[in-house]
Structure formats: C-alpha cells, structure tokens
Amino acid sequence: MKWIFLSIVFWFSVGLQGQDSTVYGRHLLFGIGVAPSIGIGDFGDKYKSFSSIPVTATYKTNKNVTFGLMGSGYFGQNILAPGIFKGMTYDDKLVDINGNPAAVRFQMRGWYSMAIIGKIFSLKRPNPNKGIHLRFGAGFMQHKLRMQFDSEKVPQLEDDYIKGYDQLHNGLILMTSVQYHLISLRNLSLYAGIDYAHGFTKNRRSWEYSLNKRDDALKIDRYVSFNAGIIIPLKIYKSTEARYFE
C-alpha cells in the first residue's frame, strides 16, 4: 500500500513540475556503484548484512524523467543459518566422516534485475542536471546460501544433496530509491542515496531438509541499501539528418 501511495505522489509531481526542455536536455546515463545493505525482519535474521554492485543504464528525457534497467549480484559473509542442519545429530550440528563437527562457512549469493522509472528534481542553477533522483523499480530477485566446506569430509553436502540446504529463493522485487545526482558533461558525475527493497519470494527446491518437507511458504524479503557510485553521461543531440552523442 505504501508503494502504491508513493507511486501516485510521484506521477502527480511529474505532471506539476514540467521543465524547460532547452535547459535540461536528453541523456543516456550509465552508472556503477557499491551498495552495502542491511536485511530487515525475517530476511535480516538470515542475511544480516551484505553488499551489491548495482549497474544501471538510464535514458533521461528533456523533462528530467528517467527510464532504465538496473541489475546487480548479492554478496554476503555475515550470514546466520541456525537450525539448517536440524535432525542431522542430537544437537543439530553437522559432523564429518571422522565424527568431528564439520567446518561449514556460509555466504550469500544471488542477483536481481529490474526496470526502473523515476524523475530528477532539479536544484536549478548553475547545473540544472543536479538534484534529487526519485526512482521506483520492479523486477526479479534470487538468493541462496553458498556453503564452503571440505567436500571429501562432508559427503552430506555433496552433489544434489546440497540443494536441500541452500534455500534457493526467487520472485518479485519492488524497490524505492532516493538519490542525489550530480550530472556533468565535463567533470566526473556522481550519485549517492538510499534504496528500500521489498521482495516476495518462495523456496524453489523440491525438499527442505531442515523442515523435513517442501517449503511452499511465501517469504517477505526486505532490506535497505546505502549506495554511491559514478555516472557516465552521454548527451543526445538532435539533427535533421542524424543523432549523435557527446
């Protein structure tokens, strides 16, 4: 509901705040950055913190409205997975072939891809392309547990057995983003901001060993990202014969 409300406010503001097309111009914006993230709720109980490297390709109109694509991988080390080996031993801990506690290190791996739409609210002169960039996105996300271990000592996690433990989830992701953009055709262009992501995913494995059954429950995956990066802007010019880029 909050996402729908923000969308209505966004489109209303776009209609009210049309800009002079001779000032703002059209651009292609290519961006790359880093985004340390914090999981929220049940998602945060497993993935407390992780990072991504978002890559964007965006078209900006002469009204400062933006359309584009964004994608990234998920990478995390601060992972909690209590009870994942439930039922393997009396204390729910995995043991190796020698009867010793198995050394298993958990990591987060995954990715997302989405379409994004937004608007840059200009801070006017001296650079009309500097301002607050409000964006909304929708797409697909996927994540799972990556486990590192000595495969010769932990046969329980070899081959297809590991699929019963890696908790592969995927589904719809919605994102709201607020960024500060400084776009310059002569100097380095930068951005920094915050994203709020809300995912709706399900476990795609046929069996979850920790539950001793198939996991069909819908999961709500929420996290906040703090991002910063660089933008490569290409200004689009009009010509009676052709278009070219600077």
Side-chain angles (χ1 to χ4, degrees), residues 18-181:
Q19 308 289 359
D20 182 357
S21 62
T22 62
V23 175
Y24 295 92
R26 297 173 300 151
H27 296 81
L28 290 177
L29 308 175
F30 300 95
I32 185 170
V34 294
S37 306
I38 300 173
I40 301 173
D42 292 339
F43 191 67
D45 290 341
K46 180 166 60 175
Y47 302 122
K48 293 184 69 65
S49 62
F50 53 95
S51 297
S52 60
I53 305 175
V55 176
T56 59
T58 305
Y59 171 71
K60 183 179 76 67
T61 72
N62 53 20
K63 300 294 186 181
N64 267 4
V65 177
T66 59
F67 307 88
L69 298 173
M70 178 169 65
S72 178
Y74 293 124
F75 311 93
Q77 304 286 341
N78 189 12
I79 309 303
L80 298 178
I84 190 173
F85 300 126
K86 185 178 180 180
M88 298 296 291
T89 64
Y90 71 93
D91 57 358
D92 296 334
K93 293 182 179 179
L94 194 66
V95 296
D96 60 22
I97 58 176
N98 298 318
N100 300 316
V104 181
R105 293 176 294 278
F106 296 99
Q107 298 176 335
M108 179 191 189
R109 290 293 184 269
W111 59 277
Y112 71 83
S113 178
M114 67 177 63
I116 51 177
I117 184 171
K119 181 177 174 63
I120 299 175
F121 295 88
S122 174
L123 298 181
K124 304 297 183 181
R125 302 290 183 180
N127 182 356
N129 292 304
K130 176 178 67 175
I132 303 300
H133 192 189
L134 177 62
R135 303 184 305 173
F136 299 98
F140 181 86
M141 72 180 298
Q142 178 169 294
H143 56 81
K144 69 174 184 177
L145 291 171
R146 181 174 183 266
M147 287 169 265
Q148 289 186 315
F149 55 91
D150 188 339
S151 60
E152 295 182 355
K153 293 184 178 181
V154 191
Q156 304 96 313
L157 300 181
E158 290 183 0
D159 302 324
D160 287 342
Y161 290 118
I162 198 170
K163 294 181 180 180
Y165 299 101
D166 68 4
Q167 301 181 5
L168 174 68
H169 283 68
N170 59 41
L172 173 70
I173 181 174
L174 304 176
M175 184 176 289
T176 302
S177 173
V178 179
Q179 296 179 335
Y180 174 78
H181 272 213

